[in-house]
Amino acid sequence: MQTRWAALGVTVAAVLLMTSCGESPSMPPPFSIAVSPNSISVMASGTQQFSATLVGTANSNSPAFVTWSVNGVVGGNSTVGSISFTGLYTAPAAPPNPNGVTVTATSAADPSKSASATVTIKAAPVVLSVSGTVFSGGALANSTVNVSNANPADGSVGGLLGTATTDSSGNFTAMLSSAPTGPVIITATGGTYTSTADGSVTTGTISLSAFFDSVSGPTTTGVAITPLTEFVATLTKKNLSGSGTAPTFANAHALGNATIAQFYGLGSGATTETIVPSFSKGDIAAHPANFSAGFVISSLETQGKGLVPATSDKLVAALSNDLDDGVFDGKGKGPIPLGNRTLNSTAGTIDFLIAGNDCAGSCSSIKNGGSNASDLTPVTAQVSSGVQASTLTPKAFGLTPGSSAALTTLAFEGHQYIFMAGRTKGIIVLDVTDPTNVAAKAWPCLATSTFSMNFVSGVVPVVGTESHPQVFVYAIAVQHITVLNAEVLATGTPPAAGLPCPASLVDVDKDIVITNPPVPFKAGNSTVFTGAIPDNGKKGVWLATSDGYEFFDLSTNSLTTTVYPVDVGQQLAENIGGDINHNQIVAGNYLGVQLIDLSLQKSFDMDSTFFTNNIVPLAPNDYVATTSVDTTDRVAIGTAEDVGNSFFINLATLSENTANSTFLPASTNGFAVVQMASPATGLDLTGASADASSHMVLFGTESNPGLSAWVAVGKLEDPAHPAGSTWVGMTDWVMWNILNSPSVAVGSDTYFPTSDPAVFGCMYNIGVGNPYGYLLASDDTFVVQVDMQGLFNMPRSGATGDAAHLPATDPGLTPGIFTVITGY
């Protein structure tokens, strides 16, 4: 360049010399500049080579004869782009505003001579990718992962955006061909995994899905596709298809996530699509959601191995189908195939909890991570609490009983059972899966041997402590408890008369210490136990004892030191009600009503003025006998003895006064009273048992042998949505004296209840979708099954007064209303 400009300098000097000698110079011909290309589009951060040509001179195509600029800035800058002395233009990282710039070449010899080109700068196409992990019953290797648009209206799969294959650790990165237009669904199909249950190599047979509300930015990382995201995807689609105003996709998805996170104990706000399962012992505390997810998936794998060993992941697909209707009940939108069988109604709930307890001590992933079963106690408790409290779990399965009547239901392995405290018969077991064909057996060895000839008077379900369901059993006057294997009770063979119970039946058998002496009942009986309610989340049972209300810890098989004494001036309740999911126990203590708030660890007595003005008139010169709770509508039902009145408390809106330890029902729709019959009928109530699925109540009565043996069924009203401006507690009821039904008789004996309310109760039969009541005959020899809905639906004798609540004809003449069960 120096040589070229030096030559030009010599030429100019020669011209000047000739001029000075008086000669006319020869002027260089005129020239112009051209830039090529003169109009171009360049992507952000892209490059473009420009060239300048001198027109009218031989010195063309030389880069040194021009100066390059962008928008007037020599060499350009980062905003408009830069250009080198050779004319190589580099566009800025992002298009300027406006996105057009001018590239100019200016003559170095004559700055008046220039030429320009127009450059339009376009945003560079964003290269999108999604990466994460696929985990089935273990990390899923060699699985095909598809990323697709999802239809926001129903969650269906739209256009394919990208695909990938997982590596040996289940990891993948999928490059997307275009940006998603809305929500995204990622599916993984096929592959193999090393089972977290037993370490075996297993071939994947199902597809797993995960929804994302959107995918933005060049990369999305940390995606997890697991059985949990598959369940969330099913619930999301279910939520989108619900009646009423359709929610947004984001809301439907968030609700699905919250439901599954709560059910499996992952923690509030957990997002399943970002939770990669973990099995390291340190993560129990450091990353609890990840460890809980790993535990849940291993438990499902364990359960699947037991049901369909060769294709264990099919259980996840079946459970996903089960959630089509928003409930784990084995139904979905029809029978759900699983291998050569159909899915059990209890597979997603109680059977899963049982598998989880098994997995805690046996799963290879748990052991390899350094944990043993005791390390997982907080994890299994959290999962059990979640299953117990979830709307995905039918109330009929026995996880959340609302009262301590000596009858409970427990469903497992696809069967539904009634376990009844049968007094001299020990425990009576009824398989009520088909209520038209009930199988019955009894275990009298429990009364004669385990409780030393004392009546068995209490039985409550226990799930989440062992690798099988259990029942907690006590006798009313003995400081002794036993925990029994419910599977053996249901499927085993009772021993011959006089023989002790088999060792396989008994998990725990021990004396416990009650400090206070037995307390008298109204009839003069003495007792140390009167009621119990399970707390499966805390792995124990709340007991009503002569010491007060206290907790039996099934982890240590001992009573805890926390005791809530019976309020002063009151007596131990014959039966207690509870809503453990909301940390409430409520007891009608004869001369008062006591509320225990387990979250505050404090006891409250119903305000004495309110009790005197509202409860006492129900039972003049008598007692508040029992309480039961509808745990769905959160209604406590109380009765007095010997009169036909009942009362109802809205537990959701009551107020607690911590200063004086009293509570009051809310002034609006917080309390209701129902006079169910005139004294002339002889309806003498002795207790109530509520069903939280149908919101129906079974009332038992005092006995007048040969004169009256009433049964009553009522329909609760939801206090949050009363039909009128005032909550009435119970909208309708029907009552009948069973002694007026000759068909309800066995030989010379006829059913009539004793005055103990613990000999009856009700449950919701999940198979037929109907509530049933069960009443034990006073000599323990037979049980009467009551079709509660059938009885309630019967035409009435009249339109007003007692007649409005009396059947027009004998219900015993209608098949199925009353069924006598014998043979145990």
Side-chain angles (χ1 to χ4, degrees), residues 119-456:
V119 181
T120 300
I121 302 168
K122 295 182 176 181
V126 178
V127 178
L128 296 175
S129 66
V130 175
S131 62
T133 301
V134 181
F135 205 97
S136 182
L140 195 58
N142 202 35
S143 173
T144 299
V145 178
N146 288 333
V147 182
S148 306
N149 286 311
N151 186 335
D154 60 11
S156 59
V157 178
L160 181 66
L161 297 170
T163 188
T165 302
T166 58
D167 63 16
S168 59
S169 299
N171 299 322
F172 70 92
T173 296
M175 308 302 296
L176 307 188
S177 59
S178 60
T181 58
V184 166
I185 183 170
I186 306 175
T187 59
T189 307
T192 60
Y193 60 89
T194 299
S195 171
T196 55
D198 59 12
S200 62
V201 177
T202 304
T203 299
T205 64
I206 66 171
S207 291
L208 297 175
S209 300
F211 276 130
F212 288 84
D213 296 342
S214 63
V215 172
S216 59
T219 59
T220 297
T221 60
V223 168
I225 305 172
T226 68
L228 304 184
T229 67
E230 169 67 19
F231 298 155
V232 170
T234 297
L235 285 180
T236 300
K237 288 184 279 190
K238 184 262 177 187
N239 295 336
L240 288 170
S241 65
S243 59
T245 303
T248 65
F249 183 90
N251 288 343
H253 184 208
L255 178 58
N257 249 314
T259 303
I260 291 298
Q262 183 272 332
F263 184 84
Y264 288 116
L266 304 180
S268 177
T271 303
T272 58
E273 295 88 1
T274 62
I275 299 176
V276 178
S278 170
F279 302 93
S280 171
K281 180 179 178 179
D283 282 337
I284 295 176
H287 301 99
N290 300 77
F291 189 91
S292 292
F295 167 70
V296 167
I297 290 170
S298 288
S299 299
L300 291 169
E301 175 70 2
T302 298
Q303 188 180 357
K305 288 283 185 182
L307 295 171
V308 277
T311 54
S312 51
D313 62 345
K314 287 189 181 298
L315 173 64
V316 171
L319 291 174
S320 181
N321 288 335
D322 192 9
L323 281 178
D324 273 347
D325 59 356
V327 182
F328 274 131
D329 58 5
K331 294 180 180 179
K333 294 178 180 177
I336 301 167
L338 179 63
N340 60 359
R341 66 182 75 190
T342 57
L343 185 72
N344 283 339
S345 60
T346 54
T349 52
I350 293 179
D351 296 356
F352 161 73
L353 290 177
I354 293 169
N357 281 287
D358 186 36
C359 179
S362 66
C363 278
S364 57
S365 57
I366 303 296
K367 291 180 178 179
N368 294 339
S371 300
N372 57 39
S374 61
D375 296 323
L376 267 66
T377 298
V379 179
T380 56
Q382 184 75 9
V383 174
S384 183
S385 292
V387 173
Q388 171 181 294
S390 178
T391 57
L392 302 182
T393 301
K395 300 294 183 183
F397 283 178
L399 291 177
T400 54
S403 65
S404 64
L407 176 154
T408 191
T409 185
L410 191 57
F412 52 88
E413 296 177 357
H415 287 254
Q416 191 166 4
Y417 300 96
I418 295 293
F419 297 92
M420 180 174 284
R423 296 179 298 199
T424 61
K425 297 293 184 179
I427 296 293
I428 300 170
V429 184
L430 309 177
D431 185 339
V432 296
T433 308
D434 178 2
T436 66
N437 185 25
V438 176
K441 68 177 68 174
W443 294 80
C445 61
L446 292 166
T448 58
S449 177
T450 304
F451 288 101
S452 304
M453 302 303 293
N454 282 277
F455 286 176
V456 174

